[in-house]
């Protein structure tokens, strides 16, 4: 279908993607190690933003709990790294908290593939369970959002409270190696950057495939009129659960990459403020457009690191004001603004797209 | 036995604070379908208003009058929060009707700014508010069971606020207009009710009640810029559990969460207790997805 309607517009877009991908892969040659590490972190955030966009921009469900899914992924990777750093001995914080043996659920995390699998599966499963108990009963909208926020609070209290298993407020840190390579060395960092870039592109392609598919159309139908979708014969709960689980899984992947770049994961990373900041990335870039969400995450985090280094207090004012401005004046985000400027052109293409869709 | 009574009392006290906070939320959410995440910051504003009243009494009035600052601080914190809430409604919230999720995000931004503002003005560390001496000590119910006057006072304050709210909503002209708008906005507008005015009034009253809650919280311990965030999510859970539309739902929800929360935290520990309460709420919503008391409606969004 896409080949059949290959308009100049689409060729430009494809060229744009190709340039962006090339730029991503060439960044290590231009940037300093410090900047590269920052960019790698932002790319990991962009993966969360993609997942969040899938659930919010396309399905219309606002989750303020993605910090938890992000954090669970990060903790899964952190557990593996901690065990590798401890080299067969008990991790230091367990020693301090008076544990004498490794808890049973920590043991399998000595294996790298297991840690990766859990980093995706645990968030996805948690999302699936929460979705099962809410979407099925048509608990949605703000009710669902409040429940996700409560999920954040209880997870953070749980992680802080169970210090002997999770490292408490300090979280997990003091990592040395990953798969035998020193985690701090520039070579490993560069490698990790490339891994992140590849995962980001893969996540983008996956999300794009999902939204362009029939599944994605049902998601949008649910967003725009859940009851209508139900009357047509779809079960919105199933679609919402799957979308929510995929979104949580992506957040888990991002969390794993994040911990590799930053070298620490603590409950404060998955608290309420980071969780809601994730939503802002999507809002500012443009909900309902994947590229907008990813760009929003990178740009806003870049602004944050540039801005908050010099004025940490003013940053919170700025962040708060951004929320208000984006919601009131830019409901479609930066991409929406961009499209508004080229409205005549876009309208034609959208019409063509509709024609294209109807012929499929 | 003593422990059970004390726990029950603590739960009731917790529930009454939650109720005071959730009351305003339930009304604004029920009436305008607006989620006000800045509600917690209105609590904080009420608490700081009490703090300022205390300091003014300390600086400008004879020491013999100091004990009575608290009596004055209740209306003061109500008025301050009322005004700020009204400003908020007029300047921002009215652009967000019909978009509950957007209102959540925008008010969250406001909350962030208000918190930072408080941090700039009063400093990041918590400040202590000295409670009046007539609230020290407690009522001795039996051996080993002493109910602190402060908590009793808060419960009393909540009851008074509740009665006032009840009279306002169900026994006054303004309240009747408010209920009319709540039940059928378009019809109410057709009958000549200024829905705009009702909206801003309701929002301001909800904010004012949050201010009273902030004033009450100063009795419980030191206050800080992030005071509101501790309570806001719990208060929203009360609204989710109780449903919107009737005061009784909010009351049962608040007392329920307060008592079960305190019990669970006593039986297990603080972190596990919170998890159990959350699980209970989710389980309860399986039974009544719209909360305990839901407005009857025939509309299908």
């Amino acid at each position: 279908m896409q080949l059949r309607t290959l308009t100049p517009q689409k060729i430009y877009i494809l060229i744009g993607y190709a340039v962006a991908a090339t730029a991503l892969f060439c960044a290590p040659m231009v940037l300093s190690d410090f900047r590269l590490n920052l960019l790698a972190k932002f790319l990991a955030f962009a993966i969360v933003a993609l997942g969040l966009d899938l659930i919010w921009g396309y399905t219309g469900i606002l989750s303020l709990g993605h910090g938890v899914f992000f954090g669970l992924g990060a903790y899964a990777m952190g557990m593996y790294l901690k065990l590798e750093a401890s080299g067969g001995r008990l991790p230091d914080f367990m020693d301090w908290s008076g544990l004498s043996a490794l808890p049973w659920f920590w043991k399998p995390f000595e294996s790298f593939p297991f840690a990766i699998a859990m980093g995706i599966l645990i968030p996805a499963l948690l999302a699936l369970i929460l979705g099962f108990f809410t979407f099925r009963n048509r608990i949605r909208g703000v009710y669902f959002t409040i429940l996700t926020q409560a999920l954040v609070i209880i997870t953070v209290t749980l992680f802080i409270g169970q210090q002997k298993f999770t490292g408490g407020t300090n979280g997990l840190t003091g990592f040395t190696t990953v798969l035998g390579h020193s985690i701090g060395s520039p070579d490993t960092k560069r490698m990790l950057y490339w891994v992140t870039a590849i995962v980001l592109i893969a996540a983008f392609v996956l999300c794009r495939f999902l939204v362009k598919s029939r599944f994605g159309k049902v998601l949008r139908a649910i967003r725009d009129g859940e009851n209508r979708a139900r009357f047509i014969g779809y079960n919105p709960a199933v679609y919402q659960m799957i979308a929510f689980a995929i979104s949580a899984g992506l957040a888990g992947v991002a969390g794993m990459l994040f911990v590799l770049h930053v070298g620490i994961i603590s409950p404060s990373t998955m608290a309420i403020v980071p969780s809601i900041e994730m939503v802002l990335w999507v809002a500012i870039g443009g909900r309902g457009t994947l590229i907008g969400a990813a760009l929003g995450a990178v740009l806003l985090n870049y602004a944050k690191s540039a801005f908050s280094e010099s004025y940490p207090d003013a940053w919170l004012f700025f962040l708060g004001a951004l929320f208000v401005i984006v919601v009131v004046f830019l409901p479609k985000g930066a991409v929406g603004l961009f499209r508004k400027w080229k409205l005549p052109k876009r309208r034609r293409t959208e019409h063509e797209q509709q024609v294209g869709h109807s012929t499929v | 036995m003593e422990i059970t009574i004390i726990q029950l009392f603590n739960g009731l006290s917790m529930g009454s604070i939650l109720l005071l906070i959730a009351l305003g939320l339930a009304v604004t959410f029920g009436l305008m379908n607006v989620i006000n995440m800045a509600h917690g910051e209105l609590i904080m504003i009420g608490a700081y208003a009490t703090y300022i009243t205390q300091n003014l009494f300390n600086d400008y009035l004879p020491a013999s009058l100091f004990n009575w600052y608290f009596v004055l601080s209740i209306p003061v914190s109500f008025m301050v929060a009322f005004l700020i809430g009204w400003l908020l409604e007029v300047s921002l919230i009215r652009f967000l009707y019909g978009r509950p999720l957007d209102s959540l995000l925008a008010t969250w931004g406001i909350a962030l700014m208000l918190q930072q503002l408080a941090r700039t003005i009063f400093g990041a560390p918590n400040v202590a508010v000295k409670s009046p001496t007539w609230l020290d000590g407690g009522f001795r119910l039996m051996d080993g069971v002493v109910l602190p006057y402060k908590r009793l006072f808060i419960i009393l304050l909540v009851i008074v606020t509740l009665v006032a709210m009840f009279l306002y909503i169900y026994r006054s002209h303004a309240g009747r207009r408010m209920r009319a708008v709540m039940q059928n906005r378009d019809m109410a507008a057709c009958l000549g009710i200024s829905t705009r005015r009702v909206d801003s009034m309701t929002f301001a009253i909800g904010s004012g009640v949050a201010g009273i809650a902030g004033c009450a919280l100063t009795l419980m311990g030191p206050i800080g810029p992030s005071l509101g965030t501790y309570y806001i999510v719990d208060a929203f859970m009360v609204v989710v559990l109780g449903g919107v539309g009737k005061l009784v739902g909010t009351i049962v929800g608040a007392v329920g969460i307060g008592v079960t929360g305190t019990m669970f935290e006593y039986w297990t520990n603080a972190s596990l207790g919170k998890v159990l309460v959350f699980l209970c709420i989710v389980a309860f919503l399986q039974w009544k997805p719209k909360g305990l008391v839901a407005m009857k409606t025939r509309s299908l969004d």
Side-chain angles (χ1 to χ4, degrees), chain A residues 41-214:
Chain A
K41 193 171 85 177
F42 301 161
L43 293 186
F45 287 149
I47 300 174
V48 191
L50 284 177
L52 204 50
D53 197 21
L54 198 62
I55 189 78
W56 186 33
Y58 287 95
T59 323
I61 297 163
L62 177 56
S63 157
L64 297 182
H66 266 56
V68 166
F69 304 130
F70 182 81
L72 286 174
Y75 265 95
M77 180 54 76
M79 280 158 87
Y80 159 75
L81 290 173
K82 190 78 197 168
L83 286 177
E84 192 169 286
S86 311
R89 277 172 296 117
L90 203 60
D92 45 13
F93 68 88
M94 290 189 182
D95 216 11
W96 303 328
S97 325
L99 275 192
S100 53
L102 203 60
W104 59 269
F105 57 88
W106 267 75
K107 281 220 172 77
F109 281 91
E110 283 168 356
S111 125
F112 186 68
F114 180 83
I116 287 196
M118 284 301 119
I120 303 171
L121 285 181
I122 293 177
L125 264 180
L126 181 66
L128 206 59
I129 293 170
L130 186 68
F132 179 78
F133 284 112
T134 47
F135 298 138
R136 221 170 31 109
N137 285 310
R138 305 187 194 176
I139 298 172
R140 54 173 186 261
V142 283
Y143 290 93
F144 179 78
T145 307
I146 292 166
L147 283 178
T148 55
Q149 191 151 48
L151 179 75
V152 174
I153 295 218
I154 61 162
T155 316
V156 172
T157 11
L158 198 65
F159 270 69
I160 291 178
Q162 305 296 318
Q163 188 171 3
K164 51 182 187 285
F165 300 129
T166 59
T169 328
N170 301 327
L172 304 176
T173 186
F175 310 134
T176 49
T177 58
V178 49
L179 291 173
H181 304 284
S182 163
I183 203 167
S185 79
D187 284 337
T188 324
K189 290 259 177 220
R190 206 162 298 148
M191 205 61 216
L192 285 173
Y193 170 81
W194 272 316
V195 170
T196 313
I198 290 171
V199 174
L200 174 63
I201 291 174
F204 186 83
V205 171
L206 171 77
C207 288
R208 199 171 165 77
F209 168 73
L210 284 176
V211 258
K212 291 282 168 197
S213 68
R214 185 190 176 81

Side-chain angles (χ1 to χ4, degrees), chain B residues 44 48-49 51-52 55 116-127 225:
Chain B
M44 183 261 297
Y48 274 112
Y51 173 70
I52 291 174
N55 285 358
Q116 191 55 35
L117 194 67
R119 222 166 272 140
T120 322
I121 298 174
F122 299 100
N126 287 355
V127 294

Side-chain angles (χ1 to χ4, degrees), chain A:
Chain A
M1 180 202 94
Q2 278 178 344
L3 277 179
R4 219 188 306 161
T5 57
L6 200 64
T7 58
Q9 205 90 35
K10 284 212 164 140
I11 294 174
Y12 289 143
I13 291 175
L14 278 179
I15 291 174
Y17 282 142
V19 170
T22 325
L24 268 185
F25 279 104
C26 295
M29 289 143 208
V30 192
L31 294 175
S32 69
D33 284 343
F34 174 71
R35 293 277 161 206
L36 188 71
N37 193 24
L38 274 185
L39 182 64
K41 193 171 85 177
F42 301 161
L43 293 186
F45 287 149
I47 300 174
V48 191
L50 284 177
L52 204 50
D53 197 21
L54 198 62
I55 189 78
W56 186 33
Y58 287 95
T59 323
I61 297 163
L62 177 56
S63 157
L64 297 182
H66 266 56
V68 166
F69 304 130
F70 182 81
L72 286 174
Y75 265 95
M77 180 54 76
M79 280 158 87
Y80 159 75
L81 290 173
K82 190 78 197 168
L83 286 177
E84 192 169 286
S86 311
R89 277 172 296 117
L90 203 60
D92 45 13
F93 68 88
M94 290 189 182
D95 216 11
W96 303 328
S97 325
L99 275 192
S100 53
L102 203 60
W104 59 269
F105 57 88
W106 267 75
K107 281 220 172 77
F109 281 91
E110 283 168 356
S111 125
F112 186 68
F114 180 83
I116 287 196
M118 284 301 119
I120 303 171
L121 285 181
I122 293 177
L125 264 180
L126 181 66
L128 206 59
I129 293 170
L130 186 68
F132 179 78
F133 284 112
T134 47
F135 298 138
R136 221 170 31 109
N137 285 310
R138 305 187 194 176
I139 298 172
R140 54 173 186 261
V142 283
Y143 290 93
F144 179 78
T145 307
I146 292 166
L147 283 178
T148 55
Q149 191 151 48
L151 179 75
V152 174
I153 295 218
I154 61 162
T155 316
V156 172
T157 11
L158 198 65
F159 270 69
I160 291 178
Q162 305 296 318
Q163 188 171 3
K164 51 182 187 285
F165 300 129
T166 59
T169 328
N170 301 327
L172 304 176
T173 186
F175 310 134
T176 49
T177 58
V178 49
L179 291 173
H181 304 284
S182 163
I183 203 167
S185 79
D187 284 337
T188 324
K189 290 259 177 220
R190 206 162 298 148
M191 205 61 216
L192 285 173
Y193 170 81
W194 272 316
V195 170
T196 313
I198 290 171
V199 174
L200 174 63
I201 291 174
F204 186 83
V205 171
L206 171 77
C207 288
R208 199 171 165 77
F209 168 73
L210 284 176
V211 258
K212 291 282 168 197
S213 68
R214 185 190 176 81
F215 177 77
K217 272 186 204 159
V218 179
L219 291 187
R220 265 167 290 166
I222 292 169
R223 176 191 68 189
D224 296 335
E226 189 175 330
N227 283 316
R228 293 185 189 193
R230 184 174 286 123
F231 295 153
I232 295 171
Y234 292 103
N235 183 359
V238 174
Y239 285 88
Q240 286 166 326
M241 272 155 60
I242 294 175
F244 193 42
I246 293 174
S247 170
L250 283 175
V253 172
M256 288 194 278
L257 292 165
F258 171 84
V259 95
L260 287 169
H261 297 309
V262 180
I264 178 169
I265 175 68
S266 68
S268 64
T269 317
M270 51 184 188
I272 286 191
V273 179
S275 301
I276 206 159
E277 242 175 69
M278 291 171 182
V279 172
L280 184 61
W281 304 336
V282 180
I284 210 157
R287 62 187 103 154
T289 57
L290 293 171
I291 194 80
L295 279 179
V298 174
L299 291 182
L300 197 69
N301 277 296
Y302 178 75
K304 183 181 180 177
S305 73
F307 203 64
S308 62
E309 272 167 25
S310 29
Y311 314 99
D313 291 345
W315 168 250
L316 281 175
F317 276 119
F318 181 68
L319 195 67
L322 260 186
F323 262 107
V324 177
I325 291 167
V326 167
V327 168
V328 177
F329 298 108
L330 295 173
K332 295 214 157 134
V335 171
L337 198 68
F338 180 69
R339 283 195 179 156
K340 221 181 205 168
W341 284 338
K342 351 188 358 178
L343 192 67
K345 265 186 184 172
R346 279 304 300 181
R347 196 174 278 158
R348 201 190 63 215
T349 3
E350 259 164 28
H351 173 69
E352 277 169 7
Q353 272 174 356
Q354 275 168 8
V355 174
H357 284 170
S358 59
T359 52
V360 172

Side-chain angles (χ1 to χ4, degrees), chain B residues 216-276:
Chain B
L217 281 178
T218 59
L219 293 177
M220 306 286 289
I223 56 169
S226 52
L227 176 77
T229 35
Y230 293 121
Y231 294 94
I232 189 71
V233 177
D234 279 348
F236 270 116
M237 296 303 272
V238 169
V239 177
V240 171
L241 186 69
V244 289
K246 286 243 168 76
L247 283 182
V248 63
T250 316
I251 298 172
V252 176
V255 175
I257 289 187
V259 172
T260 47
T262 325
M263 286 293 172
F264 279 139
E265 284 181 23
Y266 173 68
W267 283 326
T268 57
N269 56 48
S271 57
L272 272 181
K274 272 202 184 331
V275 178
L276 288 175

